[in-house]
PDB file of all heavy atoms in Angstrom:
ATOM      1  N   ALA N   1      -3.506  -4.753  -1.110  1.00 96.00           N
ATOM      2  CA  ALA N   1      -2.067  -5.007  -0.951  1.00 96.00           C
ATOM      3  C   ALA N   1      -1.821  -6.379  -0.328  1.00 96.00           C
ATOM      4  O   ALA N   1      -0.970  -7.142  -0.792  1.00 96.00           O
ATOM      5  CB  ALA N   1      -1.441  -3.910  -0.093  1.00 96.00           C
ATOM      6  N   LEU N   2      -2.561  -6.699   0.722  1.00 96.00           N
ATOM      7  CA  LEU N   2      -2.404  -8.002   1.366  1.00 96.00           C
ATOM      8  C   LEU N   2      -2.802  -9.129   0.410  1.00 96.00           C
ATOM      9  O   LEU N   2      -2.215 -10.213   0.430  1.00 96.00           O
ATOM     10  CB  LEU N   2      -3.239  -8.059   2.643  1.00 96.00           C
ATOM     11  CG  LEU N   2      -2.820  -7.084   3.753  1.00 96.00           C
ATOM     12  CD1 LEU N   2      -3.779  -7.181   4.926  1.00 96.00           C
ATOM     13  CD2 LEU N   2      -1.388  -7.362   4.212  1.00 96.00           C
ATOM     14  N   ARG N   3      -3.814  -8.849  -0.418  1.00 96.00           N
ATOM     15  CA  ARG N   3      -4.238  -9.853  -1.407  1.00 96.00           C
ATOM     16  C   ARG N   3      -3.105 -10.127  -2.399  1.00 96.00           C
ATOM     17  O   ARG N   3      -2.934 -11.265  -2.852  1.00 96.00           O
ATOM     18  CB  ARG N   3      -5.475  -9.340  -2.146  1.00 96.00           C
ATOM     19  CG  ARG N   3      -5.951 -10.213  -3.282  1.00 96.00           C
ATOM     20  CD  ARG N   3      -6.495 -11.545  -2.790  1.00 96.00           C
ATOM     21  NE  ARG N   3      -6.976 -12.368  -3.891  1.00 96.00           N
ATOM     22  CZ  ARG N   3      -6.210 -13.120  -4.678  1.00 96.00           C
ATOM     23  NH1 ARG N   3      -4.892 -13.147  -4.477  1.00 96.00           N
ATOM     24  NH2 ARG N   3      -6.736 -13.848  -5.635  1.00 96.00           N
ATOM     25  N   TYR N   4      -2.321  -9.104  -2.712  1.00 95.00           N
ATOM     26  CA  TYR N   4      -1.184  -9.255  -3.613  1.00 95.00           C
ATOM     27  C   TYR N   4       0.100  -9.642  -2.875  1.00 95.00           C
ATOM     28  O   TYR N   4       1.191  -9.609  -3.460  1.00 95.00           O
ATOM     29  CB  TYR N   4      -0.941  -7.944  -4.378  1.00 95.00           C
ATOM     30  CG  TYR N   4      -2.009  -7.604  -5.387  1.00 95.00           C
ATOM     31  CD1 TYR N   4      -2.257  -6.280  -5.741  1.00 95.00           C
ATOM     32  CD2 TYR N   4      -2.770  -8.602  -5.997  1.00 95.00           C
ATOM     33  CE1 TYR N   4      -3.230  -5.957  -6.678  1.00 95.00           C
ATOM     34  CE2 TYR N   4      -3.741  -8.292  -6.924  1.00 95.00           C
ATOM     35  CZ  TYR N   4      -3.977  -6.968  -7.261  1.00 95.00           C
ATOM     36  OH  TYR N   4      -4.950  -6.651  -8.192  1.00 95.00           O
ATOM     37  N   LYS N   5      -0.035  -9.968  -1.578  1.00 93.00           N
ATOM     38  CA  LYS N   5       1.105 -10.379  -0.748  1.00 93.00           C
ATOM     39  C   LYS N   5       2.149  -9.270  -0.617  1.00 93.00           C
ATOM     40  O   LYS N   5       3.361  -9.524  -0.590  1.00 93.00           O
ATOM     41  CB  LYS N   5       1.740 -11.659  -1.290  1.00 93.00           C
ATOM     42  CG  LYS N   5       0.765 -12.832  -1.367  1.00 93.00           C
ATOM     43  CD  LYS N   5       1.460 -14.118  -1.739  1.00 93.00           C
ATOM     44  CE  LYS N   5       0.445 -15.267  -1.908  1.00 93.00           C
ATOM     45  NZ  LYS N   5      -0.422 -15.449  -0.741  1.00 93.00           N
ATOM     46  N   LEU N   6       1.662  -8.030  -0.519  1.00 94.00           N
ATOM     47  CA  LEU N   6       2.525  -6.879  -0.259  1.00 94.00           C
ATOM     48  C   LEU N   6       2.365  -6.498   1.206  1.00 94.00           C
ATOM     49  O   LEU N   6       1.258  -6.139   1.631  1.00 94.00           O
ATOM     50  CB  LEU N   6       2.156  -5.693  -1.154  1.00 94.00           C
ATOM     51  CG  LEU N   6       2.183  -5.943  -2.663  1.00 94.00           C
ATOM     52  CD1 LEU N   6       1.702  -4.702  -3.410  1.00 94.00           C
ATOM     53  CD2 LEU N   6       3.588  -6.325  -3.121  1.00 94.00           C
ATOM     54  N   PRO N   7       3.400  -6.580   2.011  1.00 92.00           N
ATOM     55  CA  PRO N   7       3.262  -6.285   3.446  1.00 92.00           C
ATOM     56  C   PRO N   7       2.910  -4.823   3.694  1.00 92.00           C
ATOM     57  O   PRO N   7       3.433  -3.923   3.036  1.00 92.00           O
ATOM     58  CB  PRO N   7       4.642  -6.633   4.009  1.00 92.00           C
ATOM     59  CG  PRO N   7       5.575  -6.543   2.844  1.00 92.00           C
ATOM     60  CD  PRO N   7       4.779  -6.946   1.641  1.00 92.00           C
ATOM     61  N   VAL N   8       2.009  -4.607   4.656  1.00 94.00           N
ATOM     62  CA  VAL N   8       1.608  -3.254   5.050  1.00 94.00           C
ATOM     63  C   VAL N   8       2.083  -3.026   6.476  1.00 94.00           C
ATOM     64  O   VAL N   8       1.694  -3.744   7.392  1.00 94.00           O
ATOM     65  CB  VAL N   8       0.082  -3.070   4.965  1.00 94.00           C
ATOM     66  CG1 VAL N   8      -0.305  -1.638   5.321  1.00 94.00           C
ATOM     67  CG2 VAL N   8      -0.422  -3.427   3.565  1.00 94.00           C
ATOM     68  N   ARG N   9       2.940  -2.031   6.661  1.00 91.00           N
ATOM     69  CA  ARG N   9       3.533  -1.809   7.982  1.00 91.00           C
ATOM     70  C   ARG N   9       2.551  -1.167   8.942  1.00 91.00           C
ATOM     71  O   ARG N   9       2.481  -1.519  10.108  1.00 91.00           O
ATOM     72  CB  ARG N   9       4.786  -0.932   7.871  1.00 91.00           C
ATOM     73  CG  ARG N   9       5.627  -0.939   9.142  1.00 91.00           C
ATOM     74  CD  ARG N   9       7.008  -0.411   8.857  1.00 91.00           C
ATOM     75  NE  ARG N   9       6.961   1.009   8.606  1.00 91.00           N
ATOM     76  CZ  ARG N   9       7.124   1.923   9.550  1.00 91.00           C
ATOM     77  NH1 ARG N   9       7.326   1.567  10.797  1.00 91.00           N
ATOM     78  NH2 ARG N   9       7.085   3.201   9.251  1.00 91.00           N
ATOM     79  N   ARG N  10       1.777  -0.203   8.456  1.00 94.00           N
ATOM     80  CA  ARG N  10       0.814   0.475   9.322  1.00 94.00           C
ATOM     81  C   ARG N  10      -0.072   1.388   8.491  1.00 94.00           C
ATOM     82  O   ARG N  10       0.233   1.705   7.336  1.00 94.00           O
ATOM     83  CB  ARG N  10       1.513   1.301  10.399  1.00 94.00           C
ATOM     84  CG  ARG N  10       2.278   2.511   9.843  1.00 94.00           C
ATOM     85  CD  ARG N  10       2.887   3.355  10.933  1.00 94.00           C
ATOM     86  NE  ARG N  10       3.630   4.475  10.365  1.00 94.00           N
ATOM     87  CZ  ARG N  10       4.261   5.391  11.074  1.00 94.00           C
ATOM     88  NH1 ARG N  10       4.234   5.309  12.390  1.00 94.00           N
ATOM     89  NH2 ARG N  10       4.916   6.379  10.496  1.00 94.00           N
ATOM     90  N   ILE N  11      -1.176   1.813   9.096  1.00 95.00           N
ATOM     91  CA  ILE N  11      -2.021   2.887   8.563  1.00 95.00           C
ATOM     92  C   ILE N  11      -1.982   3.999   9.592  1.00 95.00           C
ATOM     93  O   ILE N  11      -2.107   3.746  10.793  1.00 95.00           O
ATOM     94  CB  ILE N  11      -3.467   2.417   8.350  1.00 95.00           C
ATOM     95  CG1 ILE N  11      -3.530   1.327   7.278  1.00 95.00           C
ATOM     96  CG2 ILE N  11      -4.364   3.597   7.947  1.00 95.00           C
ATOM     97  CD1 ILE N  11      -4.914   0.713   7.131  1.00 95.00           C
ATOM     98  N   GLN N  12      -1.816   5.220   9.134  1.00 93.00           N
ATOM     99  CA  GLN N  12      -1.780   6.361  10.052  1.00 93.00           C
ATOM    100  C   GLN N  12      -2.768   7.430   9.585  1.00 93.00           C
ATOM    101  O   GLN N  12      -2.743   7.846   8.423  1.00 93.00           O
ATOM    102  CB  GLN N  12      -0.371   6.958  10.121  1.00 93.00           C
ATOM    103  CG  GLN N  12      -0.244   8.053  11.189  1.00 93.00           C
ATOM    104  CD  GLN N  12       1.133   8.689  11.183  1.00 93.00           C
ATOM    105  OE1 GLN N  12       1.604   9.146  10.145  1.00 93.00           O
ATOM    106  NE2 GLN N  12       1.782   8.727  12.334  1.00 93.00           N
ATOM    107  N   LEU N  13      -3.633   7.845  10.488  1.00 92.00           N
ATOM    108  CA  LEU N  13      -4.531   8.973  10.230  1.00 92.00           C
ATOM    109  C   LEU N  13      -3.860  10.225  10.755  1.00 92.00           C
ATOM    110  O   LEU N  13      -3.443  10.279  11.915  1.00 92.00           O
ATOM    111  CB  LEU N  13      -5.883   8.748  10.924  1.00 92.00           C
ATOM    112  CG  LEU N  13      -6.656   7.503  10.491  1.00 92.00           C
ATOM    113  CD1 LEU N  13      -7.974   7.408  11.256  1.00 92.00           C
ATOM    114  CD2 LEU N  13      -6.909   7.506   8.991  1.00 92.00           C
ATOM    115  N   GLN N  14      -3.779  11.244   9.902  1.00 87.00           N
ATOM    116  CA  GLN N  14      -3.060  12.444  10.280  1.00 87.00           C
ATOM    117  C   GLN N  14      -3.750  13.680   9.721  1.00 87.00           C
ATOM    118  O   GLN N  14      -4.910  13.612   9.306  1.00 87.00           O
ATOM    119  CB  GLN N  14      -1.609  12.356   9.793  1.00 87.00           C
ATOM    120  CG  GLN N  14      -1.495  11.986   8.335  1.00 87.00           C
ATOM    121  CD  GLN N  14      -0.058  11.746   7.901  1.00 87.00           C
ATOM    122  OE1 GLN N  14       0.368  12.292   6.891  1.00 87.00           O
ATOM    123  NE2 GLN N  14       0.676  10.930   8.634  1.00 87.00           N
ATOM    124  N   PHE N  15      -3.028  14.801   9.700  1.00 79.00           N
ATOM    125  CA  PHE N  15      -3.642  16.099   9.418  1.00 79.00           C
ATOM    126  C   PHE N  15      -4.403  16.113   8.101  1.00 79.00           C
ATOM    127  O   PHE N  15      -5.563  16.489   8.050  1.00 79.00           O
ATOM    128  CB  PHE N  15      -2.561  17.186   9.413  1.00 79.00           C
ATOM    129  CG  PHE N  15      -3.120  18.582   9.375  1.00 79.00           C
ATOM    130  CD1 PHE N  15      -3.405  19.246  10.553  1.00 79.00           C
ATOM    131  CD2 PHE N  15      -3.372  19.216   8.171  1.00 79.00           C
ATOM    132  CE1 PHE N  15      -3.930  20.536  10.521  1.00 79.00           C
ATOM    133  CE2 PHE N  15      -3.905  20.497   8.143  1.00 79.00           C
ATOM    134  CZ  PHE N  15      -4.183  21.153   9.326  1.00 79.00           C
ATOM    135  N   PHE N  16      -3.750  15.705   7.010  1.00 76.00           N
ATOM    136  CA  PHE N  16      -4.379  15.812   5.700  1.00 76.00           C
ATOM    137  C   PHE N  16      -4.869  14.479   5.166  1.00 76.00           C
ATOM    138  O   PHE N  16      -4.838  14.242   3.973  1.00 76.00           O
ATOM    139  CB  PHE N  16      -3.423  16.458   4.694  1.00 76.00           C
ATOM    140  CG  PHE N  16      -3.564  17.953   4.649  1.00 76.00           C
ATOM    141  CD1 PHE N  16      -2.635  18.761   5.257  1.00 76.00           C
ATOM    142  CD2 PHE N  16      -4.629  18.546   4.006  1.00 76.00           C
ATOM    143  CE1 PHE N  16      -2.757  20.137   5.218  1.00 76.00           C
ATOM    144  CE2 PHE N  16      -4.767  19.924   3.961  1.00 76.00           C
ATOM    145  CZ  PHE N  16      -3.826  20.726   4.569  1.00 76.00           C
ATOM    146  N   GLY N  17      -5.334  13.613   6.029  1.00 84.00           N
ATOM    147  CA  GLY N  17      -5.903  12.362   5.550  1.00 84.00           C
ATOM    148  C   GLY N  17      -5.286  11.158   6.209  1.00 84.00           C
ATOM    149  O   GLY N  17      -5.089  11.125   7.411  1.00 84.00           O
ATOM    150  N   GLY N  18      -4.971  10.148   5.397  1.00 89.00           N
ATOM    151  CA  GLY N  18      -4.419   8.914   5.924  1.00 89.00           C
ATOM    152  C   GLY N  18      -3.251   8.438   5.082  1.00 89.00           C
ATOM    153  O   GLY N  18      -3.100   8.811   3.925  1.00 89.00           O
ATOM    154  N   VAL N  19      -2.425   7.602   5.686  1.00 88.00           N
ATOM    155  CA  VAL N  19      -1.261   7.047   5.007  1.00 88.00           C
ATOM    156  C   VAL N  19      -1.246   5.543   5.209  1.00 88.00           C
ATOM    157  O   VAL N  19      -1.281   5.066   6.341  1.00 88.00           O
ATOM    158  CB  VAL N  19       0.058   7.640   5.554  1.00 88.00           C
ATOM    159  CG1 VAL N  19       1.251   6.973   4.895  1.00 88.00           C
ATOM    160  CG2 VAL N  19       0.112   9.135   5.327  1.00 88.00           C
ATOM    161  N   SER N  20      -1.221   4.791   4.120  1.00 91.00           N
ATOM    162  CA  SER N  20      -1.065   3.337   4.178  1.00 91.00           C
ATOM    163  C   SER N  20       0.359   3.018   3.751  1.00 91.00           C
ATOM    164  O   SER N  20       0.713   3.221   2.591  1.00 91.00           O
ATOM    165  CB  SER N  20      -2.052   2.637   3.239  1.00 91.00           C
ATOM    166  OG  SER N  20      -3.379   2.955   3.578  1.00 91.00           O
ATOM    167  N   GLU N  21       1.162   2.544   4.676  1.00 91.00           N
ATOM    168  CA  GLU N  21       2.573   2.301   4.381  1.00 91.00           C
ATOM    169  C   GLU N  21       2.756   0.866   3.891  1.00 91.00           C
ATOM    170  O   GLU N  21       2.890  -0.067   4.674  1.00 91.00           O
ATOM    171  CB  GLU N  21       3.425   2.593   5.610  1.00 91.00           C
ATOM    172  CG  GLU N  21       3.369   4.052   6.012  1.00 91.00           C
ATOM    173  CD  GLU N  21       4.310   4.390   7.141  1.00 91.00           C
ATOM    174  OE1 GLU N  21       5.086   3.508   7.558  1.00 91.00           O
ATOM    175  OE2 GLU N  21       4.263   5.535   7.614  1.00 91.00           O
ATOM    176  N   ILE N  22       2.728   0.719   2.582  1.00 90.00           N
ATOM    177  CA  ILE N  22       2.898  -0.572   1.926  1.00 90.00           C
ATOM    178  C   ILE N  22       4.369  -0.715   1.590  1.00 90.00           C
ATOM    179  O   ILE N  22       4.950   0.153   0.942  1.00 90.00           O
ATOM    180  CB  ILE N  22       2.014  -0.663   0.666  1.00 90.00           C
ATOM    181  CG1 ILE N  22       0.550  -0.442   1.061  1.00 90.00           C
ATOM    182  CG2 ILE N  22       2.195  -1.999  -0.025  1.00 90.00           C
ATOM    183  CD1 ILE N  22      -0.387  -0.296  -0.118  1.00 90.00           C
ATOM    184  N   GLU N  23       4.966  -1.807   2.033  1.00 83.00           N
ATOM    185  CA  GLU N  23       6.423  -1.864   2.070  1.00 83.00           C
ATOM    186  C   GLU N  23       7.079  -2.408   0.812  1.00 83.00           C
ATOM    187  O   GLU N  23       8.294  -2.481   0.745  1.00 83.00           O
ATOM    188  CB  GLU N  23       6.866  -2.693   3.284  1.00 83.00           C
ATOM    189  CG  GLU N  23       6.466  -2.028   4.599  1.00 83.00           C
ATOM    190  CD  GLU N  23       7.047  -2.728   5.803  1.00 83.00           C
ATOM    191  OE1 GLU N  23       7.214  -3.962   5.739  1.00 83.00           O
ATOM    192  OE2 GLU N  23       7.327  -2.051   6.794  1.00 83.00           O
ATOM    193  N   LYS N  24       6.302  -2.805  -0.180  1.00 84.00           N
ATOM    194  CA  LYS N  24       6.905  -3.273  -1.419  1.00 84.00           C
ATOM    195  C   LYS N  24       6.123  -2.746  -2.607  1.00 84.00           C
ATOM    196  O   LYS N  24       4.962  -2.383  -2.486  1.00 84.00           O
ATOM    197  CB  LYS N  24       6.948  -4.811  -1.466  1.00 84.00           C
ATOM    198  CG  LYS N  24       7.963  -5.421  -0.513  1.00 84.00           C
ATOM    199  CD  LYS N  24       8.052  -6.928  -0.709  1.00 84.00           C
ATOM    200  CE  LYS N  24       9.095  -7.532   0.213  1.00 84.00           C
ATOM    201  NZ  LYS N  24       9.198  -9.005   0.036  1.00 84.00           N
ATOM    202  N   GLU N  25       6.793  -2.734  -3.748  1.00 85.00           N
ATOM    203  CA  GLU N  25       6.166  -2.264  -4.979  1.00 85.00           C
ATOM    204  C   GLU N  25       5.340  -3.369  -5.627  1.00 85.00           C
ATOM    205  O   GLU N  25       5.638  -4.564  -5.485  1.00 85.00           O
ATOM    206  CB  GLU N  25       7.250  -1.821  -5.964  1.00 85.00           C
ATOM    207  CG  GLU N  25       7.816  -0.449  -5.662  1.00 85.00           C
ATOM    208  CD  GLU N  25       6.806   0.649  -5.861  1.00 85.00           C
ATOM    209  OE1 GLU N  25       6.254   0.780  -6.975  1.00 85.00           O
ATOM    210  OE2 GLU N  25       6.549   1.372  -4.900  1.00 85.00           O
ATOM    211  N   SER N  26       4.313  -2.976  -6.342  1.00 91.00           N
ATOM    212  CA  SER N  26       3.549  -3.941  -7.128  1.00 91.00           C
ATOM    213  C   SER N  26       4.441  -4.549  -8.204  1.00 91.00           C
ATOM    214  O   SER N  26       5.319  -3.879  -8.749  1.00 91.00           O
ATOM    215  CB  SER N  26       2.352  -3.252  -7.790  1.00 91.00           C
ATOM    216  OG  SER N  26       1.514  -2.676  -6.822  1.00 91.00           O
ATOM    217  N   GLU N  27       4.189  -5.809  -8.507  1.00 90.00           N
ATOM    218  CA  GLU N  27       5.033  -6.510  -9.475  1.00 90.00           C
ATOM    219  C   GLU N  27       4.658  -6.204 -10.919  1.00 90.00           C
ATOM    220  O   GLU N  27       5.488  -6.375 -11.819  1.00 90.00           O
ATOM    221  CB  GLU N  27       4.957  -8.017  -9.230  1.00 90.00           C
ATOM    222  CG  GLU N  27       5.506  -8.439  -7.868  1.00 90.00           C
ATOM    223  CD  GLU N  27       5.382  -9.934  -7.655  1.00 90.00           C
ATOM    224  OE1 GLU N  27       4.796 -10.601  -8.523  1.00 90.00           O
ATOM    225  OE2 GLU N  27       5.877 -10.418  -6.623  1.00 90.00           O
ATOM    226  N   THR N  28       3.415  -5.780 -11.156  1.00 95.00           N
ATOM    227  CA  THR N  28       2.971  -5.515 -12.524  1.00 95.00           C
ATOM    228  C   THR N  28       2.216  -4.193 -12.564  1.00 95.00           C
ATOM    229  O   THR N  28       1.666  -3.740 -11.537  1.00 95.00           O
ATOM    230  CB  THR N  28       2.029  -6.632 -13.020  1.00 95.00           C
ATOM    231  OG1 THR N  28       0.820  -6.610 -12.234  1.00 95.00           O
ATOM    232  CG2 THR N  28       2.687  -7.995 -12.888  1.00 95.00           C
ATOM    233  N   PRO N  29       2.148  -3.552 -13.739  1.00 96.00           N
ATOM    234  CA  PRO N  29       1.385  -2.294 -13.841  1.00 96.00           C
ATOM    235  C   PRO N  29      -0.099  -2.498 -13.576  1.00 96.00           C
ATOM    236  O   PRO N  29      -0.761  -1.606 -13.054  1.00 96.00           O
ATOM    237  CB  PRO N  29       1.654  -1.833 -15.276  1.00 96.00           C
ATOM    238  CG  PRO N  29       2.127  -3.040 -16.010  1.00 96.00           C
ATOM    239  CD  PRO N  29       2.834  -3.884 -14.993  1.00 96.00           C
ATOM    240  N   GLY N  30      -0.624  -3.677 -13.930  1.00 96.00           N
ATOM    241  CA  GLY N  30      -2.039  -3.940 -13.668  1.00 96.00           C
ATOM    242  C   GLY N  30      -2.342  -3.933 -12.177  1.00 96.00           C
ATOM    243  O   GLY N  30      -3.336  -3.347 -11.737  1.00 96.00           O
ATOM    244  N   ARG N  31      -1.498  -4.563 -11.402  1.00 97.00           N
ATOM    245  CA  ARG N  31      -1.698  -4.578  -9.953  1.00 97.00           C
ATOM    246  C   ARG N  31      -1.517  -3.180  -9.355  1.00 97.00           C
ATOM    247  O   ARG N  31      -2.224  -2.799  -8.433  1.00 97.00           O
ATOM    248  CB  ARG N  31      -0.725  -5.567  -9.305  1.00 97.00           C
ATOM    249  CG  ARG N  31      -1.057  -7.021  -9.603  1.00 97.00           C
ATOM    250  CD  ARG N  31      -0.180  -7.967  -8.804  1.00 97.00           C
ATOM    251  NE  ARG N  31      -0.609  -9.348  -8.968  1.00 97.00           N
ATOM    252  CZ  ARG N  31      -0.126 -10.370  -8.274  1.00 97.00           C
ATOM    253  NH1 ARG N  31       0.821 -10.140  -7.367  1.00 97.00           N
ATOM    254  NH2 ARG N  31      -0.572 -11.593  -8.479  1.00 97.00           N
ATOM    255  N   GLU N  32      -0.563  -2.443  -9.899  1.00 96.00           N
ATOM    256  CA  GLU N  32      -0.354  -1.069  -9.439  1.00 96.00           C
ATOM    257  C   GLU N  32      -1.612  -0.228  -9.663  1.00 96.00           C
ATOM    258  O   GLU N  32      -2.032   0.548  -8.803  1.00 96.00           O
ATOM    259  CB  GLU N  32       0.842  -0.454 -10.181  1.00 96.00           C
ATOM    260  CG  GLU N  32       1.058   1.029  -9.945  1.00 96.00           C
ATOM    261  CD  GLU N  32       1.824   1.312  -8.673  1.00 96.00           C
ATOM    262  OE1 GLU N  32       1.964   0.405  -7.838  1.00 96.00           O
ATOM    263  OE2 GLU N  32       2.258   2.461  -8.505  1.00 96.00           O
ATOM    264  N   PHE N  33      -2.225  -0.398 -10.835  1.00 97.00           N
ATOM    265  CA  PHE N  33      -3.426   0.368 -11.166  1.00 97.00           C
ATOM    266  C   PHE N  33      -4.568   0.012 -10.208  1.00 97.00           C
ATOM    267  O   PHE N  33      -5.239   0.896  -9.669  1.00 97.00           O
ATOM    268  CB  PHE N  33      -3.834   0.087 -12.610  1.00 97.00           C
ATOM    269  CG  PHE N  33      -4.937   0.976 -13.120  1.00 97.00           C
ATOM    270  CD1 PHE N  33      -4.648   2.143 -13.793  1.00 97.00           C
ATOM    271  CD2 PHE N  33      -6.278   0.645 -12.907  1.00 97.00           C
ATOM    272  CE1 PHE N  33      -5.667   2.977 -14.258  1.00 97.00           C
ATOM    273  CE2 PHE N  33      -7.298   1.463 -13.360  1.00 97.00           C
ATOM    274  CZ  PHE N  33      -6.992   2.635 -14.037  1.00 97.00           C
ATOM    275  N   VAL N  34      -4.787  -1.281 -10.007  1.00 97.00           N
ATOM    276  CA  VAL N  34      -5.880  -1.715  -9.130  1.00 97.00           C
ATOM    277  C   VAL N  34      -5.634  -1.245  -7.703  1.00 97.00           C
ATOM    278  O   VAL N  34      -6.546  -0.739  -7.030  1.00 97.00           O
ATOM    279  CB  VAL N  34      -6.017  -3.251  -9.173  1.00 97.00           C
ATOM    280  CG1 VAL N  34      -7.012  -3.727  -8.122  1.00 97.00           C
ATOM    281  CG2 VAL N  34      -6.461  -3.703 -10.563  1.00 97.00           C
ATOM    282  N   LEU N  35      -4.408  -1.382  -7.237  1.00 97.00           N
ATOM    283  CA  LEU N  35      -4.072  -0.989  -5.869  1.00 97.00           C
ATOM    284  C   LEU N  35      -4.329   0.500  -5.641  1.00 97.00           C
ATOM    285  O   LEU N  35      -4.792   0.904  -4.569  1.00 97.00           O
ATOM    286  CB  LEU N  35      -2.605  -1.322  -5.603  1.00 97.00           C
ATOM    287  CG  LEU N  35      -2.061  -1.087  -4.198  1.00 97.00           C
ATOM    288  CD1 LEU N  35      -2.898  -1.826  -3.163  1.00 97.00           C
ATOM    289  CD2 LEU N  35      -0.615  -1.512  -4.108  1.00 97.00           C
TER     290      LEU N  35
END
């Protein structure tokens, strides 16, 4: 996400795993797939 210049607000470890809060959408389907 950072490589694609998408800001990440935080990572949270919780009951059922982890959450990466990426604050913007990928600009292309290719980037979405890789991400």
Side-chain angles (χ1 to χ4, degrees):
L2 296 176
R3 175 68 179 81
Y4 291 153
K5 302 187 184 306
L6 303 176
V8 182
R9 194 164 71 92
R10 68 176 179 179
I11 295 174
Q12 187 183 53
L13 300 180
Q14 50 187 229
F15 190 90
F16 270 104
V19 176
S20 301
E21 296 186 5
I22 302 171
E23 296 188 328
K24 289 186 178 180
E25 281 293 303
S26 301
E27 296 179 355
T28 65
R31 290 187 173 188
E32 172 83 346
F33 189 93
V34 172
L35 184 55

